[in-house]
Amino acid sequence: MSSRLPSWKELPIGAVILEPGSSRRYKTHEWRTLRPVINQDKCIRCRICWSYCPEPAILEVDKPYVTSTNRRYEITYMVDYDYCKGCGICAQECPVKAIEMVPEVR
Ligand code: SF4
Ligand code: SF4
């Protein structure tokens, strides 16, 4: 089998997006050592984690949730574990400490 590496002239130009949206294919969870877990009962739906996540890997989902104290929310914040890098910014910024970083288990 003969395989030839491309010469530098055949490589695509760096830092140029040739296909918009292609980053969706690059799932960035592989190097995560900690994963954020949202306590839905504690979460006050303030949206801060959603705003701060650099990926963004916090999803705002139209999914009602009723807490153990009978408080009803119409939205739920969830983590997209395909893209979350485990940086912990969301847990750091959550004003009610509803996000816990737990060891990743694969
Ligand atoms: S740990 Fe980092 S990448 Fe993952 S959801 Fe939180 S802020 Fe986003
Ligand atoms: S920052 Fe905390 S309280 Fe606010 S939406 Fe995210 S998990 Fe919920």
Side-chain angles (χ1 to χ4, degrees), residues 2-99:
S2 80
S3 66
R4 184 184 71 83
L5 292 173
S7 79
W8 67 270
K9 289 181 184 171
E10 293 165 321
L11 293 174
I13 298 169
V16 174
I17 297 169
L18 300 171
E19 183 194 337
S22 60
S23 62
R24 282 191 174 276
R25 288 200 296 271
Y26 307 119
K27 302 204 168 158
T28 47
H29 64 284
E30 292 287 323
W31 59 80
R32 187 175 60 225
T33 56
L34 295 173
R35 67 162 49 203
V37 176
I38 301 176
N39 180 326
Q40 297 297 339
D41 269 13
K42 270 188 168 182
C43 172
I44 56 172
R45 276 62 177 173
C46 68
R47 214 184 207 189
I48 287 178
C49 55
W50 182 89
S51 314
Y52 273 80
C53 176
E55 272 306 300
I58 300 277
L59 306 174
E60 189 178 78
V61 184
D62 285 329
K63 184 177 170 195
Y65 183 84
V66 181
T67 68
S68 56
T69 54
N70 242 9
R71 181 159 188 183
R72 182 183 172 87
Y73 292 106
E74 295 307 320
I75 55 169
T76 301
Y77 288 91
M78 303 176 88
V79 180
D80 186 338
Y81 291 113
D82 278 348
Y83 299 102
C84 168
K85 291 175 177 159
C87 67
I89 292 173
C90 54
Q92 182 67 34
E93 297 300 330
C94 176
V96 293
K97 298 297 168 211
I99 304 177

